[in-house]
Amino acid sequence: MFLGYLLRYIMSVTPTTDEDVSLALQKRQEDKKWINYSLTDSLVEGYYGYPVFLHFVISKIKKKNRGLIGKFINIFSDIIIGILIYQITNKLIGVTLLSYFNYGHIASLLYITSPLLIPVTSRMKTIKARSFGSMLIFFYFYFMYLMMNSFNFGLLILLFFIAFLIVISSMFAFQVMLLMSLFLSLLSFSFDPVIYLAGFLFILFFIKQL
């Protein structure tokens, strides 16, 4: 985990060309009580449908600390995913290679050190919901797995809350949630993932502004 943190920190410290976009998104949310989707600073006013929950949260932090806090959120989201992968792998496989090393360590290490996830480009370095959205997706399907094994109303509420955060945080994570729920139903021969997804989408239609 420390190796993953170190790699991401070293690669994230330099400024990026995409950073101004992130700062502009945060500035738009500064004095708002909830996410502002209105476009008032463009040639054509309208509705900005890009999920900006993470920028909304960061906008409540002092301006001088936003860049640093945002990058640390990116880093720690990936670290939490690594921990989840370790836990899930051990739960599913449960085989120990050595007394101090198992398949969970291997899976987590492969994820944390994957070159695809190291922030070397502007899009990866800047403050976006890539890591945060990925973390939410891992939590969503982890709780989905628990629900498929044993129904729990508290877990259902938590599942819907995470799904809500996904919708307002990351467009890519929302797409993954939709497609993977369908694939999971097919692979597991269970309607549960689709039923939970359909229930959440039904509730979503009654929320006027996310």
Side-chain angles (χ1 to χ4, degrees), residues 71-186:
K71 288 178 180 179
F72 272 111
I73 289 174
N74 286 347
I75 292 171
F76 282 115
S77 294
D78 274 345
I79 299 300
I80 291 172
I81 293 172
I83 295 171
L84 279 174
I85 289 174
Y86 172 82
Q87 295 289 346
I88 293 169
T89 303
N90 284 343
K91 191 177 184 66
L92 293 177
I93 299 177
V95 178
T96 302
L97 298 175
L98 299 170
S99 58
Y100 51 87
F101 198 74
N102 54 43
Y103 284 109
H105 289 110
I106 295 174
S108 181
L109 186 63
L110 287 173
Y111 176 84
I112 290 295
T113 59
S114 171
L116 293 174
L117 300 175
I118 303 299
V120 294
T121 64
S122 293
R123 287 183 61 81
M124 296 287 281
K125 287 182 181 182
T126 195
I127 304 166
K128 289 182 179 293
R130 178 197 64 80
S131 297
F132 184 69
S134 298
M135 179 187 69
L136 291 175
I137 277 292
F138 266 87
F139 273 117
Y140 179 82
F141 283 108
Y142 178 67
F143 289 126
M144 176 73 74
Y145 168 77
L146 296 178
M147 284 284 292
M148 291 173 69
N149 284 279
S150 177
F151 180 83
N152 181 291
F153 187 74
L155 274 180
L156 180 63
I157 298 297
L158 189 56
L159 191 72
F160 278 12
F161 176 70
I162 293 171
F164 177 73
L165 288 180
I166 287 171
V167 171
I168 63 176
S169 300
S170 173
M171 194 178 297
F172 177 73
F174 181 49
Q175 293 168 350
V176 172
M177 183 176 73
L178 293 175
L179 293 174
M180 286 302 296
S181 293
L182 295 174
F183 286 133
L184 186 59
S185 280
L186 291 173

Side-chain angles (χ1 to χ4, degrees), residues 25-42:
L25 290 172
Q26 292 160 24
K27 186 177 181 181
R28 191 177 289 161
Q29 307 296 329
E30 280 180 351
D31 57 345
K32 302 295 186 292
K33 293 182 179 180
W34 184 237
I35 300 170
N36 174 36
Y37 292 105
S38 301
L39 272 178
T40 56
D41 53 357
S42 64

Side-chain angles (χ1 to χ4, degrees), residues 61 95 168 187 207:
I61 301 169
V95 178
I168 63 176
L187 292 173
I207 303 176

